[in-house]
Amino acid sequence: MKIKEILSKYPKESEYLIEILLEIQSSSKNHYISSEDVEQISKYLDIPESQICSVTSFYTLLSMNPKGRYVIQVCHDVPCFVNDTTSIYEKLVDMLAIEDGETTEDNLFTLEITECLGCCNEAPAMRVNDQVYTSLTPKKVEKIVKDLRGEEK
Amino acid sequence: MIQQKVISKRFGKVDPLSIDSYIKFDGYNALEKALTMHPTQIIDEIEKSKIRGRGGAGFPAHIKARALANAKQPKYIVCNADEGEPGNFKDRIIMENDPFSILEGMVILAYATGAKKGYIYIRGEYQNAIKIMKMTIQNAIDKGYLGENILNKGFDFNLEIRTGAGSYVVGEEFSMIESIEGKPGRSRVKPPYPTDKGIHDKPTLINNVETFANFPHIILMGGDNYAKIGTPSSTGTKLISLSGNVKNKGLYEVPFGTSIRDVIFKLGDGVSYNRSIKMVQLGGASGPIIPEYMLDMAIDFERFENFDSKTGTGAIIVIDERFDIFDILLINMNFFVHQSCGKCAPCREGHTQIVNLLNKIKNHRGTEQDLMSLENLANVIQQTSLCGLGQTSMTSIISSLRYFRDDYFAKVRY
Ligand SMILES: Cc1cc2nc3c(=O)[nH]c(=O)nc-3n(C[C@H](O)[C@H](O)[C@H](O)COP(=O)(O)O)c2cc1C
Ligand code: SF4
Ligand code: FES
């Protein structure tokens, strides 16, 4: 039902495909676009499913696989790297016991290494869902993860 | 005073979400003035200002504007707010601090060129900026500065926000056009250029956020006065995204012609713990890496053109003595491995080979032969790639081979 509501906000034109996919994904608890979603979009925009999949596979923010409740993306470009983003990543690996691209067993966290978040003035930086965290230290990261775990209880 | 605040003059002084606050601080004076001018007069002022695009390539803004003005309807204007080049954050900071100035610049250009529809393409990672720009558009419509019959002058201009979905190459003009059409962002062969055949094959002009934010100032100052700022070949001011190992990382605005050293030491207050600078990367991942002794170089398109790169974005990434150049190069090259759209072979296959060669050299397993292969392959990728991604991605490799040759020889096996 929810997907129908989202679709109805957009004109039936294929140029809105990416906007639609992004909105559907962000309304999904597990940050992904399901094959049922693709079927519905295909009917609504009257375009083949393969066309939709060529878009979801091209753009890295779009995913056809479910992720954790919180997707943690740690920046790994030069301005963050020289400000010791490696220790941030290692802290997360340590706390979550997962590596780049993996999801915790309780489906709470997914960890990803990502490209520059445009916050290099406050490096190192990471993103949890839509929230950006900057000027990170391992200690700050510890608190952020603990708080997120706490929220779920 | 080494900073000169033109684009950033309102930062921190206005409420970015309040159109009234913007209007109180000279906002929309330029649009009011522009609407008393003939559209071609506006483009003449832009030409006199000699402003060059701030998105990296430094293309003269008036040429694109005139081409669009001469094109048939329908035609489109796009603001490129994709900002995916590592080390750049200026466009985000403009959107978050002075969003109305971007709209004002776009409306002025719409009036000058006759475009009735525009897009602002913002990268998906910039959720805060997206929210702000959406509110800004609504406020501007409500107050008559956007939409139908702008300021009762009988001209219409409508704007839509488009959100990126995590692709660096979409910052390139034709990739962006494909993306706005709802497709994967794979570039097209040029010519025809976007001002001939862009969105839905209709004439389209794409400018960077900072370029648009400059137009109101050009109109208010007059093109000739604007051209007095900076250097003869690069007029105006430049926003500099300063990052890496400097004490005061941040965004600074300086006139063109300022030296890189002054930005790092006078504005950035130098490197922490008085460490020495090993290298500086200009522009972002697709920019050159230069040694400390070149820091007196002026920030100027003409100087940057020696590197064949998109140095013109104004990013300065400072890297201190603790770091190995091969780690830096590998981060850059892995970035391009991920970001290649895969349409052409030199870029799709080449970057992976470059990464293999760099790893080999870094781990003392490379030979002189590998060094030559690296150099040759970098030149092939640069010269045969279809779009700007592959044409500029090798800049850091090529410049490091020139300025840091000793680092290579120290690792190569004989
Ligand atoms: C791979 C690639 C990525 C680019 N990314 C951006 C970007 O994020 N923002 C931008 O304004 N220009 C980017 N450009 C440059 C644009 O293609 C284009 O030249 C620019 O938006 C034109 O605006 P300007 O004339 O105002 O500089 C990129 C170019 C290439 C080849
Ligand atoms: S150079 Fe790279 S990004 Fe550009 S078209 Fe070729 S494969 Fe795609
Ligand atoms: S390099 Fe990490 S935010 Fe830019």
Side-chain angles (χ1 to χ4, degrees):
Chain A
M1 188 59 217
K2 210 157 151 206
I3 168 152
K4 292 232 164 77
E5 264 167 47
I6 294 174
L7 288 172
S8 67
K9 291 200 281 184
Y10 293 91
K12 291 192 177 191
E13 287 165 27
S14 64
E15 64 171 89
Y16 292 98
L17 177 58
I18 298 168
E19 296 291 322
I20 291 171
L21 289 167
L22 282 166
E23 185 167 347
I24 289 175
Q25 180 170 293
S26 73
S27 76
S28 132
K29 206 172 166 196
N30 294 94
H31 310 279
Y32 83 117
I33 296 144
S34 68
S35 40
E36 295 86 71
D37 294 335
V38 171
E39 212 183 300
Q40 298 273 345
I41 300 168
S42 153
K43 278 193 198 133
Y44 183 78
L45 295 178
D46 194 21
I47 54 175
E49 290 185 22
S50 62
Q51 188 179 333
I52 299 169
C53 294
S54 75
V55 167
T56 55
S57 66
F58 182 83
Y59 293 96
T60 53
L61 288 187
L62 298 174
S63 171
M64 295 274 304
N65 298 315
K67 296 185 180 180
R69 178 85 190 83
Y70 300 103
V71 180
I72 304 184
Q73 297 183 309
V74 187
C75 170
H76 189 67
D77 280 319
V78 171
C80 279
F81 173 75
V82 301
N83 282 290
D84 204 14
T85 191
T86 313
S87 72
I88 305 303
Y89 178 71
E90 279 167 3
K91 182 79 201 174
L92 286 162
V93 169
D94 200 41
M95 288 188 77
L96 304 173
I98 48 171
E99 301 243 10
D100 177 28
E102 296 175 350
T103 300
T104 52
E105 260 173 38
D106 59 4
N107 282 325
L108 205 49
F109 295 101
T110 297
L111 182 60
E112 294 176 353
I113 291 177
T114 193
E115 314 296 6
C116 176
L117 296 169
C119 302
C120 337
N121 53 329
E122 297 169 273
M126 71 179 194
R127 213 160 82 101
V128 182
N129 299 348
D130 282 345
Q131 177 75 37
V132 178
Y133 296 88
T134 56
S135 306
L136 294 170
T137 58
K139 228 179 154 166
K140 263 196 183 174
V141 168
E142 188 171 344
K143 182 166 179 339
I144 293 165
V145 172
K146 276 189 180 153
D147 286 353
L148 291 173
R149 276 191 177 134
E151 254 172 52
E152 288 303 301
K153 281 186 189 135
Chain B
M1 270 306 282
I2 117 159
Q3 284 210 75
Q4 181 170 357
K5 297 189 178 182
V6 178
I7 303 303
S8 58
K9 71 174 185 182
R10 292 190 196 89
F11 291 8
K13 297 200 171 126
V14 293
D15 171 1
L17 293 178
S18 155
I19 193 167
D20 294 326
S21 164
Y22 179 69
I23 291 169
K24 242 185 239 156
F25 205 133
D26 302 341
Y28 285 116
N29 286 354
L31 179 62
E32 307 249 5
K33 182 172 173 190
L35 293 180
T36 65
M37 295 161 70
H38 192 271
T40 52
Q41 255 181 309
I42 295 175
I43 300 177
D44 291 343
E45 290 304 318
I46 294 175
E47 178 164 7
K48 280 189 217 154
S49 79
K50 298 202 217 145
I51 183 174
R52 300 170 61 165
R54 306 303 199 225
F59 192 75
H62 69 95
I63 298 180
K64 280 197 264 188
R66 209 167 311 270
L68 193 76
N70 292 333
K72 281 210 253 349
Q73 301 282 3
K75 46 190 165 184
Y76 305 104
I77 286 181
V78 179
C79 174
N80 188 340
D82 199 44
E83 195 159 63
E85 183 78 47
N88 287 277
F89 41 85
K90 67 183 179 79
D91 296 338
R92 173 179 63 80
I93 291 186
I94 304 175
M95 288 189 279
E96 289 177 352
N97 286 280
D98 197 13
F100 286 100
S101 68
I102 305 164
L103 293 200
E104 187 176 0
M106 290 188 81
V107 175
I108 289 171
L109 208 70
Y111 173 72
T113 59
K116 292 183 173 26
K117 169 105 196 238
Y119 298 88
I120 304 178
Y121 190 105
I122 311 177
R123 67 183 299 209
E125 288 85 348
Y126 283 179
Q127 284 301 321
N128 191 31
I130 292 169
K131 259 185 235 143
I132 291 175
M133 292 312 297
K134 283 188 173 160
M135 280 153 88
T136 304
I137 287 176
Q138 197 50 53
N139 285 342
I141 294 172
D142 293 345
K143 294 268 180 164
Y145 290 100
L146 192 67
E148 315 295 315
N149 193 16
I150 292 172
L151 293 177
N152 296 319
K153 289 289 185 335
F155 110 91
D156 308 337
F157 182 61
N158 289 294
L159 262 179
E160 253 181 57
I161 301 272
R162 286 304 165 86
T163 314
S167 160
Y168 162 71
V169 69
V170 162
E172 191 272 339
E173 298 187 310
F174 270 122
S175 310
M176 178 162 289
I177 286 164
E178 292 281 318
S179 187
I180 289 173
E181 292 177 358
K183 299 185 223 158
R186 293 202 178 84
S187 192
R188 299 178 189 166
V189 181
K190 296 189 232 192
Y193 291 95
T195 42
D196 286 332
K197 280 189 169 188
I199 300 170
H200 301 309
D201 282 341
K202 301 289 184 264
T204 301
L205 174 148
I206 302 184
N207 272 141
N208 171 257
V209 173
E210 186 184 350
T211 313
F212 279 116
N214 265 286
F215 293 143
H217 300 288
I218 292 171
I219 297 304
L220 281 181
M221 271 184 226
D224 287 331
N225 280 330
Y226 182 95
K228 287 181 192 148
I229 309 172
T231 69
S233 78
S234 311
T235 58
T237 59
K238 186 74 199 75
L239 291 174
I240 304 291
S241 308
L242 180 63
S243 71
N245 301 125
V246 281
K247 281 187 207 150
N248 295 331
K249 302 187 268 280
L251 189 76
Y252 301 100
E253 183 173 6
V254 296
F256 274 104
T258 305
S259 79
I260 296 169
R261 190 183 300 281
D262 278 353
V263 172
I264 295 173
F265 287 93
K266 293 193 180 150
L267 298 172
D269 201 21
V271 182
S272 303
Y273 306 106
N274 275 325
R275 292 189 176 112
S276 62
I277 294 177
K278 162 84 185 182
M279 55 199 141
V280 171
Q281 187 161 23
L282 304 174
S286 60
I289 297 183
I290 60 169
E292 205 271 345
Y293 66 79
M294 284 177 73
L295 296 185
D296 292 311
M297 191 169 113
I299 297 166
D300 185 291
F301 284 114
E302 228 169 38
R303 291 302 313 270
F304 289 174
E305 269 153 21
N306 297 338
F307 297 107
D308 270 341
S309 77
K310 297 195 295 125
T311 324
T313 58
I316 297 180
I317 307 166
V318 179
I319 301 155
D320 74 33
E321 57 190 347
R322 292 169 300 159
F323 296 95
D324 180 347
I325 192 160
F326 293 99
D327 286 328
I328 303 299
L329 291 171
L330 276 164
I331 293 176
N332 286 330
M333 293 306 127
N334 278 313
F335 175 77
F336 294 116
V337 169
H338 290 132
Q339 300 301 334
S340 167
C341 85
K343 185 161 176 164
C344 65
C347 169
R348 185 182 59 232
E349 314 294 339
H351 289 113
T352 312
Q353 287 313 314
I354 292 272
V355 168
N356 291 342
L357 284 167
L358 282 175
N359 268 319
K360 216 172 152 189
I361 296 169
K362 180 188 155 186
N363 296 319
H364 298 273
R365 286 187 288 106
T367 59
E368 258 185 295
Q369 183 62 41
D370 290 317
L371 202 58
M372 268 159 62
S373 305
L374 183 78
E375 205 153 9
N376 289 337
L377 183 54
N379 284 319
V380 168
I381 297 173
Q382 187 186 50
Q383 281 156 29
T384 60
S385 287
L386 176 66
C387 87
L389 186 141
Q391 289 159 6
T392 58
S393 63
M394 288 301 115
T395 317
S396 62
I397 298 286
I398 293 169
S399 57
S400 70
L401 281 162
R402 193 181 310 161
Y403 303 118
F404 295 89
R405 234 177 154 77
D406 289 349
D407 291 60
Y408 283 93
F409 284 128
K411 301 243 178 183
V412 163
R413 282 187 6 208
Y414 294 97

